[in-house]
C-alpha cells in the first residue's frame, strides 16, 4: 500500500508542478511590485509596512499608475489589481493590507455623504428614497422568507430571579423548527419606576442586540446596562448572537462569521420583539433598540426595517465609511440598496423618530463631528425635528461600552420616556454567572427536535452558495461537538487542559475533514501495481487523503503527548478509530488457539500502528481499509510462524456455526 501511495503521489506531484513561466512582455511595462513600491516610497517620502506578501507580484503599466499630486490615488492605482489597500498610520507611514469589503477611507465616507446630500434637499425629495431604501434593505437581507417559516411564538421562560429593583428571567424562543434564540429579559420591579414609567401596567421595551464584546451578552458591563435600564423602568431583552452562547450549542462557533448570521440575528431581534408585544407588561407605543459596536449596527438595522420601533440608540457603530467588520453585520448585500447606500443613511431612514448617536475618537466613529452628525442633522432638519437627534462624541476615548457611553444611553432613554434618573445607580446591579443566564446550558438539555429540521429549512430559504456555507458549518459544528465530548471523556479535572486538548482535536478533525472534502474524487483512476487491478474508489480516496500535510498529524500527536499520559493519548486514538484495536485483538484471541504472548504483542503492535495512521482519514470505510492492511500483516505473521491462518479461521467459523445450532 505504501509503495502504491508513493507511486501515485509522485504522479500527482509531477502533474501539478508543471509551473507556467511568468510572462513579462515589454509592451505591458511590467515591473515587480516591491520595486515599484520602493520608488513610490522615495518619491513621496513615506514608509510602507506590509500585512501582505508581495513576493513574485508584478505590476503592469506601472508608470501610468503614478499620480505625482496624490499618494493616496497612486497607491490605489498600484494596489487595486492585487486586492490590497494602503492605510495611513500617521508619521508618514502607510500599512498595506488585504482589501476589506466593508471598510473604506474616511474621505470615501465624506464623498458618499456629499453624494447622498445631492440626491435630496427636502422632505419631499428624501421620502421616496427613504421608503425605497427601507423596503430594499429588508428585501436584500432576505428576512421575510425566513419569517414565513418561523414557528408560532412559544417562549420557554425560566424562573424569575429577584434583584434590587429589577427581575431577570431567561427566555428561549424557537425561531424556525429546531433553532432557539436564547436570551434574558430584564424587568423593572420597583415603586418609583412603576409610578413614573408604567402606563396601565405597561413599560417601554428595548431590544438589545449584541456586539462582539468579550463573553457576548454575559459581559458584566452589558449586564449593568440591561439591569440599570430595567431599574429605570424599561424592559430590556438581551440575546445571543448567532454561533455564540447557546446558539453555539446549536450551530457551532464558526457559524458566526457568515452572511447567514446577518439575517439570523436580525430575525432574532424581530421575533423577540414579536414576543415582547404579546406581553401584558409591554407598551407597544414605546419600543426601542440599543446596542454597541456590532450590536449598534443591528440596533440601527432593526430601526430601519421595522416600523414598530419608536426610538433607537446605536453606540460606537454606524457610520458612512464602515459597514461593520463581521459578516454578521455586513454579510448580506444591503449596502447596494438603491444603487448604493451606507449605514448612516440606513439609520437616517428612522427620522424624525428619536435617535441617540454615541461615538468616540478612537475608532471609525472619529468622523462623527465632521461627517455623520452634520448629515443626520440635515435629515432631521427636513422635519424641523433636530431636537429628536441626540449625539455624544467622546474625545480621547476608544472603542468600548464604558461608563460614559452607558451614561449617554441612560440619559437618552430618560429623556425620551421620562425614566427616573434616581435609578441610574449601577452599583445596585447583580452581575450573574453565565450559567444563570442560560436556558439550557448544553445540547442534551434542549427540547426534543432541537435543530432537526434546520437542514430542510436552509434548503428552502437560501440559495446554493448560502447552503454550501451552511453545510460546511454544520460539519464544523459536528466536529466541535465530537472534540468536546472526547476531551471531556478524559475527566482531566483541569478545565484549561481539557480546553487545550479539545482545541488540538478540533483543529485536527477540521483539517482532515476539510482536506478530504476538498479532494473528493481528485485522484485519477489507475491500476494497483501490486494486483494489476483497477484502483477502487476507496483506494483513490486514501491516496488523495494521504497527501495531506504531515503537520496535521504531528501537531495533534505532539500536542496530545505534551498534555496527556500515554494511556490518555491511547483513549483519544481509540475514540478516533471506534476501538478497533481491542475489538480486533479480541477476535484474534478467539480465532487463534492458545495465542502466545509474543503473538499477542506482535499483532497488537501492528494494530496500534494502524490506529495511529487511521486517525488522519475521514470516513469509516477508509479507516477499515487501513486496519485491513495491517490485519494482512498479522495474518502473514501467523502463516510464517508455524500457523495456518486460513485453517484457523475456517475452524473458528465451523465451531461458531455448530454453537449456533
Ligand atoms: Zn459578528
Amino acid at each position: 500500500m505504501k509503495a502504491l501511495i508513493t507511486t501515485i503521489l509522485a504522479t500527482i506531484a509531477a502533474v501539478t508542478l508543471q509551473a507556467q513561466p511568468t510572462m513579462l512582455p515589454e509592451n505591458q511595462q511590467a515591473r515587480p511590485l516591491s520595486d515599484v513600491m520602493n520608488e513610490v516610497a522615495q518619491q513621496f517620502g513615506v514608509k510602507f509596512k506590509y500585512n501582505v506578501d508581495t513576493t513574485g507580484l508584478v505590476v503592469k503599466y506601472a508608470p501610468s499608475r503614478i499620480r505625482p499630486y496624490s499618494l493616496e490615488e497612486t497607491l490605489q492605482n498600484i494596489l487595486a489589481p492585487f486586492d490590497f489597500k494602503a492605510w495611513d498610520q500617521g508619521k508618514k507611514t502607510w500599512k498595506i493590507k488585504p482589501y476589506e469589503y466593508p471598510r473604506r477611507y474616511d474621505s470615501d465616507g465624506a464623498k458618499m455623504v456629499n453624494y447622498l446630500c445631492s440626491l435630496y434637499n427636502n422632505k419631499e425629495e428624501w421620502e421616496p428614497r427613504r421608503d425605497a431604501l427601507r423596503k430594499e434593505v429588508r428585501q436584500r437581507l432576505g428576512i421575510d422568507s425566513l419569517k414565513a417559516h418561523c414557528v408560532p411564538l412559544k417562549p420557554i421562560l425560566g424562573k424569575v430571579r429577584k434583584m434590587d429593583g429589577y427581575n431577570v428571567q431567561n427566555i428561549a424562543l424557537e425561531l424556525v423548527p429546531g433553532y432557539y434564540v436564547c436570551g434574558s429579559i430584564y424587568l423593572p420591579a420597583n415603586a418609583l419606576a412603576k409610578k413614573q414609567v408604567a402606563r396601565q401596567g405597561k413599560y417601554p421595551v428595548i431590544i438589545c442586540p449584541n456586539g462582539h464584546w468579550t463573553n457576548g451578552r454575559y459581559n458584566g458591563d452589558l449586564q449593568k446596562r440591561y439591569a440599570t435600564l430595567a431599574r429605570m423602568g424599561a424592559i430590556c431583552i438581551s440575546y445571543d448572537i448567532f454561533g455564540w452562547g447557546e446558539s453555539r450549542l446549536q450551530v457551532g462557533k464558526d457559524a458566526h462569521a457568515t452572511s447567514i448570521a446577518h439575517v439570523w440575528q436580525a430575525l432574532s431581534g424581530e421575533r423577540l420583539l414579536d414576543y415582547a408585544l404579546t406581553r401584558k407588561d409591554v407598551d407597544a407605543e414605546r419600543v426601542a433598540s440599543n446596542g454597541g459596536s456590532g450590536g449598534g449596527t443591528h440596533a440601527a438595522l432593526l430601526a430601519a426595517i421595522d416600523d414598530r420601533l419608536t426610538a433607537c440608540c446605536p453606540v460606537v457603530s454606524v457610520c458612512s465609511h464602515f459597514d461593520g467588520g463581521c459578516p454578521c453585520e455586513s454579510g448580506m448585500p444591503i449596502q447596494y440598496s438603491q444603487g448604493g447606500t451606507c449605514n448612516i443613511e440606513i439609520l437616517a431612514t428612522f427620522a424624525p423618530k428619536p435617535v441617540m448617536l454615541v461615538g468616540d475618537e478612537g475608532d471609525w466613529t472619529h468622523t462623527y463631528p465632521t461627517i455623520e452628525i452634520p448629515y443626520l442633522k440635515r435629515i432631521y432638519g427636513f422635519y424641523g425635528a433636530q431636537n429628536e437627534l441626540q449625539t455624544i462624541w467622546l474625545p480621547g476615548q476608544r472603542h468600548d461600552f464604558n461608563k460614559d457611553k452607558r451614561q449617554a444611553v441612560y440619559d437618552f432613554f430618560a429623556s425620551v420616556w421620562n425614566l427616573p434618573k434616581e435609578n441610574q445607580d449601577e452599583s445596585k446591579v447583580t452581575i450573574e454567572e453565565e450559567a444563570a443566564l442560560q436556558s439550557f446550558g448544553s445540547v442534551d438539555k434542549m427540547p426534543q427536535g432541537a435543530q432537526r429540521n434546520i437542514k430542510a429549512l436552509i434548503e428552502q430559504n437560501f440559495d446554493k452558495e448560502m447552503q454550501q456555507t451552511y453545510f460546511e458549518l454544520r460539519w464544523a459544528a459536528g466536529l466541535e461537538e465530537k472534540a468536546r465530548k472526547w476531551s471531556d471523556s478524559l475527566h482531566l479535572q483541569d478545565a484549561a487542559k481539557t480546553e487545550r486538548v479539545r482545541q488540538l482535536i478540533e483543529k485536527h478533525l477540521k483539517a482532515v475533514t476539510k482536506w478530504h472534502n476538498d479532494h473528493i474524487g481528485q485522484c485519477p483512476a489507475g491500476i494497483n501495481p501490486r494486483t494489476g487491478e483497477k484502483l477502487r474508489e476507496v483506494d483513490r480516496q486514501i491516496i488523495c487523503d494521504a497527501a495531506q500535510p504531515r503537520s496535521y498529524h504531528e501537531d495533534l500527536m505532539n500536542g496530545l503527548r505534551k498534555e496527556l499520559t500515554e494511556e490518555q493519548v491511547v483513549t483519544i486514538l481509540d475514540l478516533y478509530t471506534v476501538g478497533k484495536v481491542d475489538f480486533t485483538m479480541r477476535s484474534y484471541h478467539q480465532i487463534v488457539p492458545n495465542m502466545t504472548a509474543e503473538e499477542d504483542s506482535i499483532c497488537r503492535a501492528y494494530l496500534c500502528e494502524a490506529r495511529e495512521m487511521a486517525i488522519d482519514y475521514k470516513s469509516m470505510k477508509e479507516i477499515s481499509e487501513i486496519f485491513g492492511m495491517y490485519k494482512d500483516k498479522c495474518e502473514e505473521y501467523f502463516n510464517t510462524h508455524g500457523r495456518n491462518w486460513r485453517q484457523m479461521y475456517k475452524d473458528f467459523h465451523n465451531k461458531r456455526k455448530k454453537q449456533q445450532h
Side-chain angles (χ1 to χ4, degrees), residues 163-391:
M163 308 292 178
D164 187 344
Y166 69 101
N167 294 334
V168 192
Q169 184 174 33
N170 298 339
I171 176 169
L173 187 67
E174 192 176 15
L175 295 182
V176 297
Y179 181 86
Y180 293 80
V181 59
C182 297
S184 299
I185 310 175
Y186 294 75
L187 299 150
N190 63 78
L192 180 58
K194 192 172 180 187
K195 181 165 162 254
Q196 190 172 322
V197 186
R199 293 185 201 148
Q200 290 152 355
K202 291 175 188 286
Y203 293 96
V205 64
I206 308 174
I207 302 295
C208 302
N210 246 301
H212 306 88
W213 310 111
T214 314
N215 292 334
R217 69 185 185 90
Y218 314 126
N219 181 299
D221 280 356
L222 302 198
Q223 290 190 47
K224 278 184 199 162
R225 173 163 57 91
Y226 309 140
T228 303
L229 285 165
R231 293 185 75 253
M232 292 170 69
I235 296 174
C236 286
I237 305 182
S238 82
Y239 51 99
D240 291 326
I241 53 180
F242 199 60
W244 286 42
E246 289 178 281
S247 170
R248 180 179 173 171
L249 297 175
Q250 303 171 72
V251 295
K253 72 171 188 304
D254 290 352
H256 180 69
T258 64
S259 311
I260 293 169
H262 196 189
V263 53
W264 222 284
Q265 284 172 212
L267 180 73
S268 302
E270 286 237 306
R271 285 305 275 167
L272 284 164
L273 177 55
D274 291 344
Y275 157 71
L277 296 179
T278 65
R279 287 178 64 109
K280 288 199 175 73
D281 55 358
V282 166
D283 183 352
E285 316 261 283
R286 292 179 288 175
V287 176
S289 59
N290 167 231
S293 193
T297 313
H298 271 275
L301 181 61
L302 276 181
I305 62 170
D306 196 319
D307 287 332
R308 296 172 296 181
L309 272 80
T310 61
C312 176
C313 178
V315 175
V316 292
S317 78
V318 288
C319 85
S320 58
H321 47 87
F322 184 48
D323 309 329
C326 179
C328 83
E329 306 169 65
S330 54
M332 300 300 279
I334 60 173
Q335 313 290 340
Y336 306 111
S337 303
Q338 291 301 298
T341 179
C342 60
N343 280 348
I344 202 68
E345 192 189 30
I346 290 174
L347 177 64
T349 66
F350 196 60
K353 294 179 191 173
V355 157
M356 159 73 100
L357 202 59
V358 182
D360 58 49
E361 195 176 5
D363 60 20
W364 55 91
T365 62
H366 65 183
T367 52
Y368 273 8
T370 50
I371 303 178
E372 286 81 7
I373 292 174
Y375 168 76
L376 276 186
K377 273 191 176 152
R378 182 168 179 266
I379 303 278
Y380 274 78
F382 294 166
Y383 297 88
Q386 291 204 353
N387 289 342
E388 301 296 346
L389 173 65
Q390 300 187 36
T391 59

Side-chain angles (χ1 to χ4, degrees), residues 433-445:
E433 294 292 321
E434 243 176 77
L437 292 159
Q438 294 185 332
S439 288
F440 309 117
S442 69
V443 176
D444 27 298
K445 294 201 180 112

Side-chain angles (χ1 to χ4, degrees), residues 527-544:
I527 301 294
N528 183 334
R530 215 175 48 170
T531 62
E533 282 170 21
K534 250 173 88 178
L535 286 173
R536 294 170 304 158
E537 190 117 345
V538 64
D539 296 330
R540 289 162 63 189
Q541 195 57 56
I542 287 177
I543 289 164
C544 279

